[in-house]
Amino acid sequence: MLEIKHLTISKQQHVFLSVESLQVAGGSVLTLMGPSGSGKSTLLKWLLGEPLPDFQIAGELWLNGKQRDQLPIHARKIGLLHQQGDLFPHLRVLDNLLFALPRKDPRRHQAALEALEAMQLSDKANAWPHQLSGGEQARVALMRALLAQPEALLLDEPFSSLDTALRGTVREWVFAQLKQRDISVMLVTHDKEDAPGTIISMKELTHA
Amino acid sequence: MGRALSLAVIFFLVLLPLGVGGSTLFQLPVFSQELVQELLWQSWLQSAFVSFTFTVGLILAVCYLSLWLGQRITAGLSSSRIAPLLAVPHAALAVGLMVLLSPSGWLVRLVHSLFELFPSPPAHWWIADKSLVTMAVVLVIKEVPFLLLMIAAQRDQLPIQRWQTQAQSMGYSVRRCWWLVVVPALLPRLKFPLFAIAIYTLSVVDIALMVGPNTPPLIAPRVHEASLRFSDLASLEAWLGQWLMIVLGAMLFVVVAINQTVYRRFGLDAIGRPNGHSAQRICSGFGSQLLLWLCGLAVLALIVQSVAGTWFYPALWPQQWSLGRWINEWPYAWPLLQNSLWLAVVSAAIGVAGALLVLERQRSQRKKALAWLPLLLLLIPQLPIVLGWQRALGQDAGWLWLLWSHAAFTFPYAYLVLHGAYISFPSRWLYQAQSLGHSPFNAWLHVLLPQLRGSVALAFAVGVAVSIAQYLPTLWLAGVSYPTVTTETVSLAAGGDWRMASVYALLQALIPVVLLVWASRQGNQQRWKSKHVRN
């Protein structure tokens, strides 16, 4: 369960975003919608742990009963998926997946290969990211995020770069994977069709 | 903490060295108002005036020639074509160009063999052995590639393609958009590199000794010459000369700063008039080819000269070929090459590491502009600084100080070369890596560093080239114990022994050329992988 408590984000003494309490259960998706500049991305950055030097922030972030807001990004167990996918261009597909697995894990190669097989992308193991289609990039990026075994996942417009035909298929596959792993998901999107669970506008969130 | 460190750097690197020597000079009996006035008004001001006007002319020529050529410079072109031009050290290029362009050089011989115009070397040839024109040619050929590299780095940070599309949709040609929209945005970003070129031109000693004029001499070789004489008067001259150079440096800073204002005020009006020719783009392509050809021919001339036996004028090729010069000189040259090599590799590595540290701090503070402090040693004439170091450390300061003095100059160049790519690296990739469980250092090591491999390799190679080319710090801090191929090249060329100088110039050019070609390959390999993925 992902929980936000008593969160206030201010900029130049002006309260920009205020959330009294918000919960996202494991395996469910909360979708945030709102116009540009309403604070969606800022909220995701705070959840991830990115530095926000221009903001004053007070609030607590809890994940599965542990407070995480004081932890650095790599210790929070929160994954991130951008619309660009962000596969590292200097690593081949298999190496991108291996990047998410502990170096000392003796089964890491096997796990990465199994992940590729599950996505039916075994033949792409040695491909460079730019040699994949948009849908393949999105799937590999999600699988890479999942291999790191996050307890929550932030999705920032993850399907917006895909064409309409591909979008539905990839979306269904992604949410099935997330539900299966009981991960709390916070999704930011402009498109209602991308939102499978509860939808909340940034305006409602501020009054929550 | 940062401010205290800045002040300490300024104090120990600049103020202290400049102050050393000055306080004791005032107690000398030779120091009198009359003498100072006599020294200044009789000849030093003349040298200062010539140096200043020469430098202003040169930086304006380099600036606008580079901007003109820069229209055609793309990221790929920058690394593959600029690298060889950057690699050949100034001193080696000066020797090569003299062999190529001097009155008895290859060019005159070629013209004579085709048209029989010069049965003897022309008396009033446009490029003399030692003249302002010769020095200008050497410096332009060396500094234009450096500024082109800076332009290429800045181009990557500007949405030039979008601007050109917009401008073309309004009926402007690509060329006019370049001069009306892109150049005004580029000029402020080129302020520090241009100023570094100005300061280098003002204070360069080795090139001035080799190909610069003798009547009147430029100010830098005069201060150098005065510092070699051991008398109270000479010490006073050197001290006054170094302060004169600092004043000239400040004046050059003003010139560089108002350059962009003058361009906006007058240049834009001139370009605004429709006179578009596509011929200009063709010429700019020809210009960059000419630079490459001149540089390549200079290196070829060095090779031929170094293995020439008997070669009387006006023969186009040597009558005899001989490896004797190489064989005889190798036992003397090998230790110098070793000194050059270890100094270059270690100081370049230190310079790149320092630049990465500074840039990482700058990136974490979200400061995108070039900072002046890391560039400090490029913005103050080298000669007074190194003279101060020598006074503080002694004439044979040892290998550690020699290494430090080289690293002090490789660091700012590494910072300049790395800045654009490092600052524009998308942070989200680092956060992405951290969200996968990697520490910030691991993310930096495994995500940022490999993706900037090409830029880091280029910065290292430029650092090596900078160290190899260092003349004054080597000569003044450890010239006796650790001579290098550069000190020997300059010594031979300044004495007029162009043939022997060719051997050392080739050795001097060898390491940077190999490294810069390797670095450009690293950049090209990396670029094709990331071009489709990076946003």
Side-chain angles (χ1 to χ4, degrees):
Chain A
M1 161 104 57
L2 175 81
E3 290 178 274
I4 299 172
K5 296 178 182 174
H6 320 300
L7 174 65
T8 311
I9 301 180
S10 317
K11 192 173 183 180
Q12 295 168 338
Q13 313 304 323
H14 168 71
V15 176
F16 181 62
L17 183 66
S18 173
V19 182
E20 192 49 40
S21 173
L22 185 72
Q23 298 176 343
V24 187
S28 62
V29 180
L30 176 78
T31 303
L32 295 176
M33 296 188 79
S36 298
S38 58
K40 304 185 298 291
S41 294
T42 308
L43 180 61
L44 288 196
K45 283 179 180 175
W46 177 73
L47 288 166
L48 186 71
E50 278 189 36
L52 293 166
D54 300 333
F55 297 90
Q56 296 84 47
I57 302 170
E60 294 174 12
L61 168 65
W62 292 75
L63 188 55
N64 296 335
K66 292 177 189 164
Q67 191 170 354
R68 309 283 170 110
D69 51 83
Q70 297 301 319
L71 297 178
I73 302 176
H74 64 279
R76 290 192 178 197
K77 298 292 254 179
I78 296 178
L80 172 70
L81 200 60
H82 274 297
Q83 72 178 70
Q84 297 96 335
D86 283 352
L87 292 178
F88 301 129
H90 64 294
L91 299 177
R92 292 175 192 268
V93 168
L94 182 64
D95 295 324
N96 259 287
L97 295 177
L98 288 170
F99 192 85
L101 293 159
R103 281 174 182 268
K104 290 175 184 168
D105 182 353
R107 282 200 69 258
R108 62 197 292 263
H109 252 92
Q110 190 58 35
L113 289 171
E114 283 171 7
L116 277 173
E117 203 176 322
M119 293 185 289
Q120 297 175 331
L121 289 173
S122 296
D123 57 327
K124 304 285 185 184
N126 286 318
W128 294 103
H130 74 266
Q131 293 169 328
L132 302 182
S133 68
E136 288 169 338
Q137 283 193 26
R139 280 187 284 162
V140 175
L142 178 78
M143 191 50 84
R144 184 181 67 175
L146 295 178
L147 285 174
Q149 298 184 325
E151 292 172 25
L153 192 63
L154 310 174
L155 305 180
D156 188 1
E157 305 270 9
F159 314 115
S160 58
S161 60
L162 303 178
D163 58 53
T164 320
L166 199 62
R167 197 162 174 153
T169 320
V170 173
R171 191 169 53 210
E172 279 169 28
W173 182 84
V174 166
F175 289 126
Q177 297 293 321
L178 295 172
K179 192 161 185 66
Q180 195 184 335
R181 287 168 170 79
D182 205 30
I183 294 171
S184 308
V185 178
M186 196 171 276
L187 166 70
V188 163
T189 181
H190 281 101
D191 191 340
K192 274 189 182 175
E193 280 189 26
D194 284 343
T198 315
I199 299 176
I200 186 164
S201 73
M202 290 305 290
K203 205 170 178 181
E204 289 168 331
L205 182 68
T206 303
H207 296 109
Chain B
M1 177 65 185
R3 184 171 288 271
L5 191 65
S6 309
L7 289 173
V9 168
I10 294 169
F11 181 75
F12 284 108
L13 278 181
V14 181
L15 295 180
L16 192 63
L18 290 180
V20 172
S23 56
T24 50
L25 275 172
F26 283 103
Q27 296 156 15
L28 294 174
V30 74
F31 189 88
S32 69
Q33 193 65 29
E34 293 77 18
L35 181 60
V36 172
Q37 282 185 355
E38 190 185 329
L39 283 170
L40 281 175
W41 293 113
Q42 275 189 353
S43 61
W44 279 92
L45 273 187
Q46 196 184 8
S47 289
F49 176 75
V50 174
S51 295
F52 180 73
T53 47
F54 173 70
T55 307
V56 170
L58 191 110
I59 53 171
L60 291 177
V62 168
C63 174
Y64 290 100
L65 185 59
S66 304
L67 285 168
W68 180 58
L69 296 175
Q71 294 175 70
R72 296 174 65 93
I73 291 289
T74 60
L77 193 68
S78 68
S79 55
S80 60
R81 290 204 181 163
I82 298 174
L85 290 168
L86 270 179
V88 182
H90 285 77
L93 185 74
V95 177
L97 284 176
M98 284 316 297
V99 175
L100 188 67
L101 303 175
S102 71
S104 60
W106 234 8
L107 184 66
V108 174
R109 290 165 190 253
L110 179 68
V111 171
H112 177 74
S113 71
L114 292 174
F115 307 109
E116 301 201 341
L117 284 177
F118 305 114
S120 59
H124 300 289
W125 187 236
W126 66 283
I127 192 158
D129 272 3
K130 284 174 175 276
S131 71
L132 276 180
V133 176
T134 316
M135 190 164 160
V137 169
V138 172
L139 290 175
V140 164
I141 293 177
K142 271 307 292 177
E143 298 308 331
V144 165
F146 172 68
L147 202 60
L148 282 176
L149 185 73
M150 295 295 106
I151 290 173
Q154 296 302 327
R155 276 188 72 138
D156 290 348
Q157 294 181 48
L158 294 173
I160 291 177
Q161 194 59 49
R162 247 190 2 243
W163 288 350
Q164 286 184 337
T165 310
Q166 285 283 333
Q168 280 176 291
S169 74
M170 293 178 221
Y172 288 86
S173 67
V174 171
R175 185 189 68 81
R176 285 179 73 202
C177 170
W178 171 260
W179 290 104
L180 286 169
V181 182
V182 182
V183 169
L186 275 176
L187 276 176
R189 292 161 177 259
L190 296 176
K191 192 170 62 183
F192 280 133
L194 262 179
F195 188 50
I197 292 172
I199 290 300
Y200 175 81
T201 306
L202 176 71
S203 65
V204 66
V205 170
D206 49 356
I207 304 302
L209 284 176
M210 291 160 74
V211 294
N214 287 332
T215 49
L218 296 173
I219 193 161
R222 282 200 69 177
V223 177
H224 172 256
E225 184 268 333
S227 72
L228 295 178
R229 284 187 279 127
F230 294 99
S231 70
D232 289 345
L233 182 65
S235 300
L236 181 63
E237 280 194 88
W239 187 80
L240 287 173
Q242 75 174 46
W243 278 102
L244 206 50
M245 285 178 75
I246 290 167
V247 172
L248 291 179
M251 288 164 65
L252 286 170
F253 185 77
V254 175
V255 171
V256 171
I258 61 171
N259 176 34
Q260 65 200 58
T261 315
V262 171
Y263 179 80
R264 278 171 189 271
R265 175 72 185 80
F266 301 106
L268 288 182
D269 286 349
I271 295 155
R273 294 189 215 110
N275 64 340
H277 340 113
S278 57
Q280 290 218 9
R281 277 176 68 79
I282 296 164
C283 287
S284 71
F286 173 72
S288 55
Q289 292 292 334
L290 182 69
L291 275 182
L292 272 171
W293 273 98
L294 266 177
C295 199
L297 282 172
V299 172
L300 185 65
L302 283 178
I303 296 171
V304 172
Q305 180 83 314
S306 76
V307 291
T310 313
W311 193 8
F312 292 115
Y313 188 87
L316 187 59
W317 296 99
Q319 284 94 355
Q320 279 184 326
W321 299 89
S322 164
L323 284 174
R325 215 171 282 117
W326 281 95
I327 293 165
N328 294 336
E329 210 56 32
W330 186 250
Y332 306 104
W334 175 236
L336 307 190
L337 194 62
Q338 282 178 306
N339 284 343
S340 291
L341 189 61
W342 76 258
L343 264 172
V345 170
V346 180
S347 66
I350 295 171
V352 170
L356 287 172
L357 277 174
V358 169
L359 283 165
E360 180 53 31
R361 183 178 157 79
Q362 208 176 322
R363 202 181 60 81
S364 68
Q365 294 174 337
R366 300 181 181 213
K367 291 180 180 169
K368 293 199 163 184
L370 275 170
W372 64 271
L373 190 62
L375 300 173
L376 188 64
L377 285 185
L378 300 188
L379 308 180
I380 297 172
Q382 188 192 46
L383 196 150
I385 298 287
V386 180
L387 196 56
W389 291 348
Q390 189 207 35
R391 285 175 184 146
L393 301 168
Q395 285 200 329
D396 200 7
W399 68 270
L400 198 59
W401 285 113
L402 177 63
L403 177 64
W404 174 82
S405 73
H406 277 231
F409 290 101
T410 58
F411 162 69
Y413 279 103
Y415 173 78
L416 262 182
V417 173
L418 272 172
H419 177 267
Y422 202 99
I423 293 298
S424 56
F425 186 82
S427 295
R428 59 186 168 80
W429 263 331
L430 294 173
Y431 298 136
Q432 181 72 258
Q434 289 173 53
S435 77
L436 295 170
H438 289 263
S439 67
F441 177 72
N442 260 337
W444 182 86
L445 192 65
H446 296 297
V447 175
L448 183 143
L449 216 49
Q451 290 196 54
L452 294 186
R453 190 179 64 186
S455 301
V456 172
L458 185 62
F460 178 75
V462 168
V464 166
V466 166
S467 168
I468 291 276
Q470 288 304 312
Y471 174 66
L472 279 186
T474 318
L475 186 73
W476 281 355
L477 293 183
V480 179
S481 313
Y482 296 96
T484 60
V485 284
T486 299
T487 55
E488 196 61 19
T489 305
V490 177
S491 161
L492 289 166
D497 189 349
W498 296 108
R499 289 201 172 179
M500 196 60 88
S502 300
V503 173
Y504 284 90
L506 273 175
L507 287 174
Q508 195 202 17
L510 182 71
I511 303 164
V513 167
V514 170
L515 270 171
L516 272 154
V517 170
W518 163 77
S520 71
R521 281 174 180 271
Q522 296 293 311
N524 287 341
Q525 279 175 12
Q526 175 200 327
R527 200 167 293 109
W528 75 264
K529 280 182 212 165
S530 56
K531 67 181 176 184
H532 298 285
V533 181
R534 192 165 169 177
N535 295 289

